[in-house]
Amino acid sequence: MKVFYAPVQKTHDPDTFLVAGAQRPIPEVPERAERLLGAIQRLGLNAEAPADHGLAPLAAVHTPEYLDFLRNIHAEWQALDGSREVVPNVHPDRRDCAYPSSPVGRAGYHLADTACPVAAETWDAVRTSAHAAVSAARAVLDGAPHAYGLCRPPGHHAFTDMAGGFCYLNNAAIAAQDLRGAHERVAVLDVDLHHGNGTQGVFYRRGDVLTVSVHVDPDDFYPFFWGHAAERGVGAGLGCNLNLPLAVGSGDERFLAALDAACARIEAFAPGALVLSLGLDASGDDPFGGLKVSADGFEEIGRRIGALSLPTAVIQEGGYLSDTLGDNLFRVLAGFLGAR
Ligand SMILES: [Zn+2]
């Protein structure tokens, strides 16, 4: 299995965000990459730096205004008497509005919450993380049965023109769109603790990309506004989005039952390729504490997804520092590879 990652992805190291109004350290830290790399090495795999694929694969998912914002806003922000990092403090109501020219206005337009501050290093880090996803997709397009993008920062909460929840560029959506170049239908399966709202949003009106997400019920969990079972897609996309929310505290049994439903829907869709949005924060050890998937559970998750026998780009999403973060990646990939 080819693995793509570059050290520049660690340079993004934001400070704090707001949780229930209180300032807290951001848990999406560079150390995550080290733990995940440790698991890759234990599997006998080596990470290689992704090629620079340019802006085209990113622009196939994200708007020009948004890419321009991510690249330039930090420099513009320095002229303000404000924070070191770009953090929004005003948001458009439901976004039925004009596009603002002010840096403060654009920060509110493009940043959904305080969990995605933009620092000087952010653009290079998120661009390279997205290129790791493109490299994984291209390896699969070139005939590899699977590849892994160690995408940090993660991506599945990012919409076409909006960052959120530690995510800036939607790495999984970018990989899926890239795979569409050679496959009529592509599926995205998201097993992160949190609903993949950005990925759902990118493809919600399309019938060529199936989006399936197993996650903790958003009624009382981020991302709050999306992730309910009733969200099934619209127009040509109707029926091509499947949300499988689980009650807080669910463990292996309920997660695997939902995963079976997800896999059945994917098989019925008959995609040419699969993107696996691989979050590890459904672990019972994860600081978010939403679900209780065990190490054995992760290995079984990997095995069942591997048994789909689809060309697969595995894209890293969440999963935060705990004693088992690295081991959970090891187990899920061991299960996946063992099933192939
Ligand atoms: Zn997550």
Side-chain angles (χ1 to χ4, degrees):
M1 180 180 241
K2 282 194 167 190
V3 175
F4 297 97
Y5 169 78
V8 68
Q9 294 173 236
K10 275 198 305 184
T11 58
H12 169 75
D13 188 10
D15 291 337
T16 59
F17 72 138
L18 295 176
V19 181
Q23 211 162 20
R24 304 277 185 235
I26 285 186
E28 203 290 285
V29 291
E31 170 74 14
R32 296 180 60 243
E34 296 294 343
R35 304 276 184 101
L36 299 170
L37 275 174
I40 291 303
Q41 283 155 6
R42 278 177 60 208
L43 284 158
L45 305 172
N46 287 311
E48 56 186 281
D52 185 344
H53 300 285
L55 279 185
L58 284 54
V61 165
H62 295 286
T63 65
E65 291 83 4
Y66 181 55
L67 293 175
D68 181 74
F69 168 84
L70 287 178
R71 185 163 36 177
N72 297 316
I73 190 63
H74 184 265
E76 287 181 55
W77 198 260
Q78 302 318 300
L80 310 175
D81 182 21
S83 52
R84 187 179 70 84
E85 297 173 336
V86 180
V87 178
N89 61 273
V90 60
H91 293 281
D93 180 34
R94 309 293 188 275
R95 292 160 63 87
D96 183 13
C97 62
Y99 187 66
S101 58
S102 136
V104 175
R106 277 181 287 142
Y109 190 91
H110 290 302
L111 304 175
D113 50 50
T114 57
C116 37
V118 181
E121 302 82 6
T122 300
W123 171 246
D124 276 347
V126 301
R127 188 173 60 92
T128 307
S129 185
H131 285 166
V134 176
S135 285
R138 299 273 163 98
V140 169
L141 287 172
D142 287 345
H146 38 61
Y148 171 64
L150 202 170
C151 296
R152 186 275 157 182
H156 73 151
H157 296 309
F159 287 73
T160 56
D161 65 352
M162 190 167 70
F166 317 139
C167 299
Y168 301 79
L169 296 173
N170 194 314
N171 307 309
I174 289 167
Q177 183 62 35
D178 213 62
L179 288 164
R180 268 288 288 113
H183 297 285
E184 250 178 74
R185 289 179 307 284
V186 173
V188 183
L189 171 58
D190 190 318
V191 297
D192 189 278
L193 168 67
H194 304 94
H195 174 242
N197 57 326
T199 313
Q200 169 176 306
V202 170
F203 298 115
Y204 206 56
R205 287 164 174 77
R206 286 172 51 174
D208 57 333
V209 179
L210 173 72
T211 46
V212 182
S213 182
V214 181
H215 51 266
V216 70
D217 193 326
D219 247 12
D220 194 26
F221 232 87
Y222 190 90
F224 303 108
F225 312 109
W226 302 272
H228 306 92
E231 296 156 25
R232 300 181 57 241
V234 295
L238 184 62
C240 291
N241 184 77
L242 175 62
N243 287 332
L244 298 160
L246 299 171
V248 172
S250 297
D252 293 347
E253 198 176 328
R254 276 187 275 180
F255 197 102
L256 289 168
L259 182 67
D260 285 345
C263 289
R265 180 67 188 94
I266 290 166
E267 286 188 310
F269 186 70
L274 175 69
V275 173
L276 172 59
S277 267
L278 178 60
L280 299 165
D281 41 3
S283 163
D285 298 322
D286 191 88
F288 276 102
L291 297 174
K292 294 192 180 338
V293 174
S294 70
D296 288 346
F298 276 111
E299 186 159 341
E300 186 59 26
I301 288 168
R303 189 175 297 125
R304 293 188 192 185
I305 295 169
L308 290 170
S309 295
L310 287 165
T312 303
V314 181
I315 304 299
Q316 184 64 47
E317 301 288 357
Y320 301 92
L321 295 188
S322 76
D323 288 345
T324 60
L325 174 62
D327 195 48
N328 289 332
L329 178 62
F330 178 89
R331 297 288 294 273
V332 75
L333 290 181
F336 177 87
L337 293 169
R340 305 294 288 211

